[in-house]
Amino acid sequence: MSVPDYMQCAEDHQTLLVVVQPVGIVSEENFFKIYKRISSVSQISVRDSQRVLYIRYRHHYPPENNEWGDFQTHRKVVGLITITDCFSAKDWPQTFEKFHVQKEIYGSTLYDSRLFVFGLQGEIAEQPRTDVAFYPNYEDCQTVEKRIEDFIESLFIVLESKRLDRATDKSGDKIPLLCVPFEKKDFVGLDTDSRHYKKRCQGRMRKHVGDLCLQAGMLQDSLVHYHMSVELLRSVNDFLWLGAALEGLCSASVIYHYPGGTGGETGARRFQGSSLPAEAANRHRPGAQEVLIDPGALTTNGINPDTSAEIGRAKNCLSPEDIIDKYKEAISYYSKYKNAGVIELEACVKAVRVLAIQKRSMEASEFLQNAVYINLRQLSEEEKIQRYSILSELYELIGFHRKSAFFKRVAAMQCVAPSIAEPGWRACYKLLLETLPGYSLSLDPKDFSKGTHRGWAAVQMRLLHELVYASRRMGNPALSVRHLSFLLQTMLDFLSDQEKKDVTQSLENYTCKCPGTMELLTLPGGPTLPPVPFTKLPIVRRVKLLNLPASLRPQKMKSLLGQNVSTKSPFIYSPIIAHNRGEERNKKIDFQWVQGDVCEVQLMVYNPMPFELRVENMGLLTSGVEFESLPAALSLPAESGLYPVTLVGVPQTTGTITVNGYHTTVFGVFSDCLLDNLPGVKTSGSTVEVIPALPRLQISTSLPRSAHSLQPSSGDETSTNVSVQLYNGETQQLVIKLENIGMEPLEKLEVTSKILTTKEKLYGDFLSWNLEETLAQFPLQPGKVATFVVNIKVKLDFSCQENLLQDLSDDGISVSGFPLCSPFRQVVRPRVESKPVNPPEGSKPGDPSHVKTLEAILNFKYSGGPGHVEGYYRNLSLGLHVEAEPSVFFTRVSTLPATSTRQCHLLLDVFNSTEHELTVSARGNEELILHAGECQRLQDNPPSEIPEERQSYFPLRGIWLQIGDKCEVRVKLSSRRGEASVEGLLNQLVLEHLQLAPLQWDVLVDGQPCDCEAAACRVGDPVRLEVRLTNRSPRSVGPFALTVAPFQDHQNGVHNYDLHDAVSFVGSSTFYLDAVQPAGQSACLGALLFLYTGDFFLHIRFHQDSASKDLPPSWFCLPSVHVRALEAPA
Amino acid sequence: MAVCVAVIAKENYPLYIRSIPTENELKFHYMVHTSLDVVDEKISAMGKALVDQRELYLGLLYPTEDYKVYGYVTNSKVKFVMVVDSSNTALRDNEIRSMFRKLHNSYTDVMCNPFYNPGDRIHSRAFDSMVTSMMIQVC
């Protein structure tokens, strides 16, 4: 006996062994079809009794095992069923002969046999025979099951008779000695009459009867016989058979306790017909433990034929604990015999199965440990594999998954042992796959994406390497690529630098032939291998969707009010919806991409490998919108730090696009890496809206591009900056070419300008344009160009460089007027003393430090195409950088009286601060040529008349108006032209003194206007004095008072006002006036009587009620009137 | 005397493993790995016992032809496994027990290190030298 049956379990002790074999040429398919039908009849209830027969079918059984049939009767082949093909009657005798030959093999033990003949028809088939059944073909054989049942019943009859025959042997009769094959020679020459020998015979026979009882379905009887046998054999130290008796006892007890069976699947199948559910069957029978062996039932003096007393009493049954003890004992006895190795091994296996049901894993593992050491004869490779596999299975059964995996792996290695001529790589691979759960390794990379890898990396890596190798030798490169990718992806942290190199090297070798894909690989056994995306090659740390560049960013027109306001709630803000907002913000980014425009996503990646990593075909994976991804290839240096990579693509349709991940090709393996599966990736949202296409505008200008960037505080991003240098007051045209470089027609254009905050005071319009001419060329089709002209005019106040002005002007503003003329203009010396006259050394005119810069942004809002319909526009900004240099300065202002009292000439000293020759002209006057650094006086002619409307508008600023509006100084520098403004020059102080009083004064002495000459009068005659007031302003003036005070000027600076005895007033010297209406006149009439001759002056003083400051100072000093009193003629 | 010392985390992956015949390290990996089955079994059997009465020393896990594998489990389910040459009969249970206690103390010191992250591999020189002393010490 050398071939162990690892599938044995305790229940097999109660089965009858039937061998089913083909004879002649029977196709395997047909044979197993019939075999399956035959094996379905595994349990037969014997007629007119409660007993049940169990049949074990085998299609292969080594005859040498049959020789152990006396030792344990379930090892004995009692039935033979032969299946054969026979198509003609001619072949029949030959076939029948073969059947007999077959019978001979197991002949000694067979109770009965059957021959099933398929295909034969005719007269031979007609004759009824008990041992032969004829069937026309393999399909038409309904009676097979019935035949088998009959056959089994015939077996039962033989069995029953044998049992009775053996059991009723009289104790006095000579009982033959049963023995196992290797014992036979030991007993030669032994004294057969000794008591010892007899007992041995008796014990062995008892054991044999027990076996037969068990097979015949008489469990209680068998228990009794086994107990007796144990007692008998123990006394004669017949250990081998004692072991067998104990094992029989155990088997019977197990059958009693676990009617569901211990053999797993086969046991369950056996119980299919029963009403007892499988779970309940695995439980102990209630009360079974209490049943103890009744010592009274054990009689040692001979075999008691009457076992009926014990029937129905289960007390002989072993308790579950005892079963294990007895198994241990039995195994220890078996182990004394080297030749009983198979028996010992099988007993171990059976015990383990029982322990597995009892859930006593520790003890089971001890049995298995023992089984490992049972040394059988030199096993063939196949047997070794079988043995390791079964060990693995048993370990699995008791929950020792790691141990199970270990043995399965050993079995797998055995499949491809170098001693095997044809290594079974396929089987090896299959077994290796089965070990995966034991090493807590799943081939799904998703299980490894959560945090750091926690597992027994050393053994897992080993297993993966073996899988790779096995799959390669199997001739399935796709599998090995998949496994190798998996190894690289999941075990990256555990690989040494050298291993990383080796693994990638071999991966590259494999992928040359079979590139790695993202498809599920289906294994032959049914499980699938999920794809392995290389999320760690390179490692992505951050994913950021980039907005379009500022010039291409779409903006929503504000016209549709309330679109942004959430319609869900009437509140502008509520904490309840704030939560939702937060969520949305996480998902959706608040900028838009535009259909047809290149959009960018920035990834921060790094290479964990100790060598350069080449990533090819890296692109974006998106959903929601048709997206044309433009893949990139990159090469990351070894152990690089974070490295920015920009992936680009063009959305082809509109909607909401979600960036799900990216795809790469690394070492020839395609990977689709989804962001959701990436650990530790920072992302600021991955969903963005794609709006319909918009045109694209490109602008080019006539001016050179500027390297200057605008002030950082500007806030607006500009795409282009241009710069220009201008002299102050100069005007230049900026021609802008607008080209539509997009795919959509440009329909709308709006231009706005924004002057960046500057401290400089700016006069007039800096930028001006006429959009109509440009808009006439619209809509602008793709590729077409339109022009747009902007006038740049720089008018800055350089006069605040006061030191220059002060330096050059001798006496400030000298306003010379006629003394008696009204208005009186006072000579002003503004702040000369207050300012130190020491200009800084560097502040020469034309010095670069005097250059002032002006910055402005021209915004082009444009739209068109489908995006325009949706209400989007784009904004293109052009930064304008203007450097203004001073051109001419007005260094001095003075006035000359003009012909009219209300007009004057303005004299300006003009200084050319440029390095060029200038031509200056003022309102039609001849041109004045100014050389560089030269200063000349320029006269400005007053207009003939002040326009009425201006006057009425600015009543107090008559002259100023003339200057402001009319005094334009044109400057010409070669071809460049400009205007110099005096606005800054005439500051408030100057202006106040140039202002014109609202009232016009006319002093009449004796009815004659007293303008310039002294009026003459006679002493003693009253002189009529009339002060006529004409209001030229639009509002009424008053109330006020006028006082006339006469005085004499002694020409030495002394004014003598004490003239009460020289001059006398007729009437009042003070006039009160309520109001002078606009454009109205008012007169104050009085008379003077001069008592002495002499030159008198009249000082007319002006008083106002409230000393309100809204009247210019010139009011308070009205002109003096000169009167010469002459001797009265005699 | 010990030929292999391993510290295994609660989740059954090695925190530390070192063996003397370094050329066949994988063999010990397999040996310790499979011993976890027995450890698990013993722990689950012990589960019913009160925590404070629990014996941390698990005793002999299983013998192989050349080695004996002993186990020890802390209250936080960190396992220590020691492989001893089975030819070394001088080693008694008590010695093994004291070795485990030393190992446990040293492991506690490692855990007390504020720079050690529980769950990481142990790279402690003090622990290393302690293990080395256990491996070469002859008794």
Side-chain angles (χ1 to χ4, degrees):
Chain A
M1 172 121 171
S2 57
V3 185
D5 178 5
Y6 294 101
M7 300 312 292
Q8 272 211 11
C9 51
E11 290 83 22
D12 289 343
H13 282 255
Q14 66 176 339
T15 57
L16 293 169
L17 184 61
V18 174
V19 172
V20 183
Q21 278 184 331
V23 161
I25 303 139
V26 178
S27 80
E28 208 165 90
E29 189 194 341
N30 286 336
F31 170 72
F32 278 102
K33 205 162 112 192
I34 297 301
Y35 180 73
K36 224 171 145 190
R37 293 185 63 171
I38 292 171
S39 357
S40 69
V41 190
S42 62
Q43 197 175 341
I44 293 286
S45 285
V46 182
R47 239 177 301 164
D48 60 273
S49 81
Q50 297 291 309
R51 291 188 266 168
V52 180
L53 273 189
Y54 296 95
I55 316 297
R56 195 154 54 109
Y57 295 98
R58 288 282 181 280
H59 51 82
H60 176 78
Y61 195 75
E64 60 265 40
N65 281 13
N66 198 21
E67 290 167 17
W68 286 70
D70 282 343
F71 183 67
Q72 283 175 323
T73 50
H74 71 280
R75 297 183 188 279
K76 194 185 276 184
V77 180
V78 293
L80 176 70
I81 299 170
T82 355
I83 293 166
T84 188
D85 274 339
C86 186
F87 296 104
S88 66
K90 219 170 27 177
D91 298 337
W92 169 243
Q94 204 185 341
T95 308
F96 197 67
E97 189 54 36
K98 276 185 192 160
F99 170 56
H100 279 289
V101 169
Q102 197 73 25
K103 253 191 346 193
E104 284 305 306
I105 300 174
Y106 305 105
S108 56
T109 57
L110 281 183
Y111 295 170
D112 201 354
S113 58
R114 286 286 182 277
L115 174 64
F116 287 1
V117 183
F118 288 91
L120 193 67
Q121 278 166 324
E123 55 179 298
I124 302 167
E126 296 300 313
Q127 49 183 294
R129 290 183 63 139
T130 49
D131 59 340
V132 182
F134 296 95
Y135 296 101
N137 53 50
Y138 288 95
E139 274 72 44
D140 189 16
C141 51
Q142 285 81 6
T143 57
V144 165
E145 283 86 355
K146 182 78 191 72
R147 277 272 184 174
I148 297 295
E149 278 172 33
D150 292 346
F151 172 63
I152 289 163
E153 264 175 41
S154 78
L155 288 181
F156 174 72
I157 291 160
V158 179
L159 176 69
E160 190 68 3
S161 70
K162 283 206 177 227
R163 183 184 71 83
L164 288 171
D165 179 41
R166 296 285 158 91
T168 53
D169 276 351
K170 293 288 170 287
S171 54
D173 290 356
K174 191 153 172 90
I175 303 169
L177 179 73
L178 299 167
C179 53
V180 293
F182 71 87
E183 276 178 330
K184 277 181 180 134
K185 58 181 185 295
D186 299 349
F187 294 113
V188 174
L190 219 69
D191 177 13
T192 54
D193 292 331
S194 72
R195 192 176 148 79
H196 192 266
Y197 183 80
K198 268 189 189 165
K199 259 195 169 174
R200 185 190 290 242
C201 293
Q202 252 180 358
R204 289 188 178 189
M205 186 52 76
R206 269 291 176 195
K207 147 95 189 40
H208 185 68
V209 174
D211 279 352
L212 292 175
C213 288
L214 194 57
Q215 281 186 314
M218 296 166 75
L219 185 69
Q220 297 302 334
D221 283 35
S222 70
L223 280 168
V224 171
H225 287 300
Y226 282 137
H227 273 297
M228 287 175 179
S229 156
V230 167
E231 288 303 311
L232 286 167
L233 293 170
R234 214 188 277 282
S235 63
V236 295
N237 290 337
D238 189 0
F239 293 120
L240 185 64
W241 285 75
L242 176 57
L246 286 168
E247 202 194 335
L249 195 55
C250 292
S251 304
S253 303
V254 168
I255 290 160
Y256 177 74
H257 282 297
Y258 310 106
T262 56
E265 224 178 297
T266 46
R269 181 156 22 104
R270 184 171 304 160
F271 218 76
Q272 257 170 2
S274 163
S275 60
L276 212 61
E279 296 91 55
N282 278 347
R283 271 188 266 127
H284 298 287
R285 273 196 190 158
Q289 271 112 325
E290 287 89 68
V291 182
L292 292 169
I293 307 156
D294 182 7
L298 302 169
T299 52
T300 45
N301 26 326
I303 297 168
N304 184 359
D306 182 20
T307 56
S308 58
E310 277 78 39
I311 293 172
R313 293 166 60 194
K315 53 175 68 172
N316 293 325
C317 189
L318 295 174
S319 73
E321 284 76 28
D322 285 339
I323 293 173
I324 301 309
D325 288 344
K326 292 287 181 278
Y327 262 125
K328 264 186 200 159
E329 203 185 334
I331 289 163
S332 73
Y333 293 143
Y334 288 150
S335 64
K336 292 179 197 292
Y337 300 92
K338 206 170 165 241
N339 292 320
V342 174
I343 304 291
E344 186 189 355
L345 188 60
E346 288 183 4
C348 281
V349 170
K350 286 177 225 175
V352 167
R353 290 191 205 276
V354 173
L355 282 165
I357 283 199
Q358 294 183 348
K359 304 221 179 310
R360 289 158 72 177
S361 311
M362 281 309 298
E363 283 159 298
S365 77
E366 279 166 29
F367 275 102
L368 274 174
Q369 191 76 35
N370 185 45
V372 172
Y373 294 129
I374 295 170
N375 200 9
L376 300 179
R377 55 173 181 86
Q378 196 64 40
L379 290 174
S380 72
E381 300 296 341
E382 200 178 327
E383 282 168 326
K384 276 185 192 164
I385 295 164
Q386 197 193 3
R387 183 169 176 177
Y388 291 130
S389 302
I390 210 75
L391 278 171
S392 157
E393 239 165 71
L394 290 170
Y395 270 117
E396 184 74 47
L397 195 66
I398 61 170
F400 280 25
H401 304 293
R402 298 180 186 88
K403 202 86 176 166
S404 160
F406 177 82
F407 279 108
K408 196 147 268 178
R409 187 183 150 268
V410 172
M413 292 297 103
Q414 203 67 55
C415 290
V416 292
S419 54
I420 294 178
E422 280 180 31
W425 288 106
R426 210 165 279 277
C428 168
Y429 180 78
K430 191 168 166 291
L431 286 169
L432 283 177
L433 274 187
E434 286 167 14
T435 67
L436 287 171
Y439 292 109
S440 42
L441 193 64
S442 86
L443 291 180
D444 190 350
K446 282 198 187 84
D447 299 342
F448 291 85
S449 60
K450 292 159 199 94
T452 50
H453 176 64
R454 295 274 157 105
W456 205 292
V459 288
Q460 288 176 342
M461 259 158 58
R462 176 74 184 207
L463 177 62
L464 284 171
H465 273 298
E466 284 164 355
L467 275 173
V468 169
Y469 191 70
S471 54
R472 188 172 74 87
R473 295 297 299 265
M474 251 166 70
N476 193 338
L479 271 184
S480 40
V481 167
R482 181 60 52 87
H483 288 309
L484 208 48
S485 318
F486 184 85
L487 172 68
L488 198 56
Q489 163 75 13
T490 57
M491 300 291 164
L492 193 62
D493 300 344
F494 302 97
L495 290 169
S496 67
D497 283 1
Q498 188 55 43
E499 282 172 319
K500 281 177 186 170
K501 266 180 205 156
D502 295 345
V503 169
T504 49
Q505 185 67 47
S506 47
L507 182 59
E508 274 176 333
N509 287 343
Y510 292 159
T511 51
C512 303
K513 295 162 211 149
C514 175
T517 59
M518 280 304 288
E519 282 151 25
L520 276 178
L521 286 179
T522 307
L523 294 175
T528 53
L529 278 186
V532 182
F534 276 143
T535 56
K536 285 184 180 167
L537 297 172
I539 297 174
V540 173
R541 274 282 168 266
R542 195 165 348 128
V543 178
K544 192 179 166 199
L545 276 65
L546 295 183
N547 202 347
L548 291 170
S551 61
L552 294 177
R553 225 168 268 177
Q555 277 155 8
K556 188 83 179 160
M557 287 190 199
K558 293 279 193 289
S559 61
L560 300 163
L561 195 80
Q563 209 174 41
N564 289 336
V565 178
S566 170
T567 50
K568 287 177 196 159
S569 162
F571 303 107
I572 294 169
Y573 173 76
S574 150
I576 298 160
I577 62 164
H579 201 68
N580 282 340
R581 280 187 192 168
E583 265 174 29
E584 277 170 37
R585 198 178 302 136
N586 283 341
K587 291 303 286 178
K588 200 154 177 175
I589 311 172
D590 58 351
F591 57 74
Q592 289 99 15
W593 280 353
V594 179
Q595 174 191 358
D597 277 11
V598 174
C599 301
E600 296 176 325
V601 174
Q602 194 186 51
L603 307 177
M604 297 303 282
V605 301
Y606 78 85
N607 171 16
M609 298 304 253
F611 46 84
E612 190 180 293
L613 183 67
R614 284 198 53 77
V615 184
E616 282 151 16
N617 192 29
M618 191 171 188
L620 291 171
L621 294 174
T622 59
S623 65
V625 165
E626 201 180 305
F627 190 80
E628 184 194 339
S629 181
L630 309 171
L634 51 142
S635 177
L636 296 169
E639 313 252 347
S640 69
L642 273 185
Y643 202 86
V645 175
T646 307
L647 300 179
V648 295
V650 181
Q652 303 290 348
T653 55
T654 63
T656 302
I657 188 169
T658 307
V659 175
N660 297 324
Y662 58 93
H663 61 83
T664 55
T665 307
V666 184
F667 310 127
V669 178
F670 298 102
S671 317
D672 288 346
C673 307
L674 297 182
L675 296 182
D676 294 344
N677 299 341
L678 296 185
V681 168
K682 281 190 213 150
T683 171
S684 50
S686 55
T687 306
V688 85
E689 203 188 330
V690 178
I691 62 151
L694 282 170
R696 282 178 69 170
L697 186 65
Q698 193 183 52
I699 54 176
S700 50
T701 65
S702 54
L703 293 177
R705 283 188 172 232
S706 151
H708 290 275
S709 56
L710 296 185
Q711 289 167 352
S713 61
S714 64
D716 299 287
E717 292 173 57
T718 53
S719 50
T720 329
N721 286 328
V722 293
S723 70
V724 64
Q725 275 197 339
L726 292 177
Y727 284 109
N728 192 19
E730 192 181 339
T731 304
Q732 185 153 2
Q733 269 198 344
L734 168 64
V735 180
I736 301 172
K737 275 188 182 166
L738 307 168
E739 187 180 357
N740 183 2
I741 55 168
M743 303 304 290
E744 302 295 331
L746 206 159
E747 288 158 11
K748 271 201 107 85
L749 179 71
E750 268 179 56
V751 184
T752 53
S753 71
K754 180 178 159 196
I755 295 162
L756 299 180
T757 49
T758 169
K759 280 173 238 142
E760 309 299 334
K761 195 165 185 266
L762 189 65
Y763 301 101
D765 289 335
F766 176 39
L767 301 169
S768 60
W769 60 81
N770 189 357
L771 196 60
E772 270 83 38
E773 288 171 30
T774 314
L775 287 180
Q777 304 171 45
F778 276 53
L780 199 62
Q781 294 303 322
K784 293 280 170 21
V785 181
T787 52
F788 176 64
V789 180
V790 178
N791 291 314
I792 309 170
K793 191 166 155 189
V794 189
K795 263 194 185 175
L796 283 173
D797 183 11
F798 278 89
S799 65
C800 66
Q801 290 163 321
E802 236 165 313
N803 46 22
L804 179 69
L805 181 66
Q806 294 298 334
D807 194 24
L808 291 168
S809 58
D810 308 315
D811 48 7
I813 302 160
S814 66
V815 181
S816 58
F818 201 67
L820 286 178
C821 168
S822 164
F824 175 76
R825 291 181 190 95
Q826 201 183 3
V827 174
V828 192
R829 251 173 218 272
R831 292 182 292 172
V832 172
E833 286 81 18
S834 67
K835 282 277 172 186
V837 190
N838 49 346
E841 291 305 306
S843 66
K844 273 183 257 153
D847 190 89
S849 68
H850 295 300
V851 171
K852 296 189 178 189
T853 54
L854 268 179
E855 285 176 344
I857 294 173
L858 271 174
N859 280 319
F860 296 86
K861 281 186 182 177
Y862 63 95
S863 186
H868 177 56
V869 181
E870 292 282 314
Y872 286 98
Y873 64 89
R874 270 181 171 157
N875 201 348
L876 184 63
S877 303
L878 175 68
L880 188 61
H881 182 92
V882 179
E883 286 187 347
E885 282 181 49
S887 51
V888 290
F889 286 107
F890 297 104
T891 57
R892 214 166 106 150
V893 184
S894 55
T895 51
L896 274 179
T899 45
S900 160
T901 56
R902 298 192 68 80
Q903 288 184 348
C904 67
H905 291 286
L906 188 69
L907 298 181
L908 300 166
D909 286 6
V910 184
F911 171 72
N912 177 9
S913 66
T914 67
E915 289 159 352
H916 308 281
E917 195 181 88
L918 288 178
T919 314
V920 182
S921 68
R923 202 175 34 213
N925 287 19
E926 73 248 47
E927 292 181 348
L928 195 68
I929 291 169
L930 273 178
H931 298 286
E934 198 180 24
C935 183
Q936 284 202 25
R937 183 159 294 184
L938 182 74
Q939 185 176 338
D940 179 31
N941 286 343
S944 51
E945 202 161 326
I946 305 160
E948 280 302 312
E949 70 276 14
R950 293 283 186 183
Q951 224 174 12
S952 62
Y953 199 63
F954 288 111
L956 303 178
R957 304 172 67 187
I959 290 180
W960 159 234
L961 276 175
Q962 290 180 40
I963 295 162
D965 285 350
K966 303 295 178 190
C967 177
E968 287 171 348
V969 181
R970 300 199 182 279
V971 183
K972 251 170 93 180
L973 168 62
S974 60
S975 66
R976 296 161 74 172
R977 301 177 168 276
E979 284 177 5
S981 168
V982 291
E983 273 175 71
L985 177 70
L986 302 170
N987 54 33
Q988 195 57 37
L989 201 62
V990 177
L991 285 177
E992 255 176 26
H993 293 282
L994 286 173
Q995 274 172 356
L996 192 64
L999 296 178
Q1000 187 177 346
W1001 300 81
D1002 293 300
V1003 182
L1004 292 99
V1005 179
D1006 262 345
Q1008 299 295 315
C1010 176
D1011 248 6
C1012 40
E1013 287 170 42
C1017 67
R1018 285 175 194 280
V1019 172
D1021 287 348
V1023 183
R1024 214 150 46 86
L1025 180 72
E1026 189 182 353
V1027 181
R1028 240 185 237 161
L1029 299 168
T1030 311
N1031 191 350
R1032 299 255 187 177
S1033 75
R1035 52 176 185 166
S1036 62
V1037 181
F1040 55 86
L1042 291 174
T1043 307
V1044 180
F1047 70 92
Q1048 273 188 311
D1049 191 358
H1050 290 190
Q1051 301 286 344
N1052 56 358
V1054 178
H1055 290 188
N1056 181 17
Y1057 283 93
D1058 192 20
L1059 296 171
H1060 295 292
D1061 48 352
V1063 184
S1064 140
F1065 275 94
V1066 180
S1068 173
S1069 65
T1070 307
F1071 309 100
Y1072 292 97
L1073 285 169
D1074 275 345
V1076 185
Q1077 292 307 316
Q1081 280 203 344
S1082 177
C1084 303
L1085 288 171
L1088 280 167
L1089 186 68
F1090 292 96
L1091 302 178
Y1092 299 99
T1093 57
D1095 273 6
F1096 295 95
F1097 293 91
L1098 293 176
H1099 191 180
I1100 304 169
R1101 278 192 197 142
F1102 175 87
H1103 306 276
Q1104 202 179 12
D1105 281 2
S1106 54
S1108 65
K1109 282 289 174 191
D1110 60 343
L1111 295 171
S1114 57
W1115 283 52
F1116 300 98
C1117 308
L1118 291 170
S1120 300
V1121 178
H1122 190 188
V1123 180
R1124 185 169 292 161
L1126 302 172
E1127 279 293 321
Chain B
M1 44 189 203
V3 290
C4 175
V5 172
V7 180
I8 293 133
K10 183 168 177 273
E11 294 85 4
N12 290 332
Y13 63 92
L15 295 174
Y16 182 91
I17 183 157
R18 204 145 76 90
S19 49
I20 278 189
T22 42
E23 69 276 6
N24 200 358
E25 206 181 348
L26 200 64
K27 181 175 90 179
F28 288 103
H29 271 282
Y30 276 118
M31 202 180 288
V32 176
H33 182 250
T34 48
S35 75
L36 287 179
D37 277 328
V38 185
V39 173
D40 279 355
E41 188 59 40
K42 291 207 171 192
I43 290 173
S44 70
M46 258 187 349
K48 295 136 201 165
L50 284 172
V51 176
D52 48 338
Q53 292 169 356
R54 185 187 289 165
E55 169 72 273
L56 302 178
Y57 177 57
L58 298 175
L60 179 67
L61 298 180
Y62 69 93
T64 68
E65 275 172 85
D66 309 320
Y67 302 105
K68 282 178 180 165
V69 186
Y70 291 91
Y72 183 94
V73 64
T74 71
N75 283 322
S76 55
K77 299 276 188 289
V78 173
K79 293 115 190 162
F80 301 134
V81 173
M82 204 159 13
V83 182
V84 179
D85 204 324
S86 55
S87 62
N88 192 345
T89 48
L91 268 179
R92 300 276 170 79
D93 215 33
N94 265 343
E95 276 114 44
I96 300 284
R97 213 180 274 262
S98 75
M99 277 162 77
F100 272 126
R101 210 162 296 135
K102 256 169 76 187
L103 197 62
H104 194 173
N105 285 340
S106 193
Y107 173 74
T108 313
D109 291 344
V110 170
M111 292 299 286
C112 289
N113 178 3
F115 298 104
Y116 173 74
N117 271 335
D120 286 359
R121 295 208 73 141
I122 295 171
H123 296 289
S124 159
R125 211 176 303 144
F127 192 80
D128 243 11
S129 62
M130 200 279 307
V131 170
T132 312
S133 78
M134 283 196 341
M135 284 174 148
I136 56 169
Q137 171 195 341
V138 182
C139 54

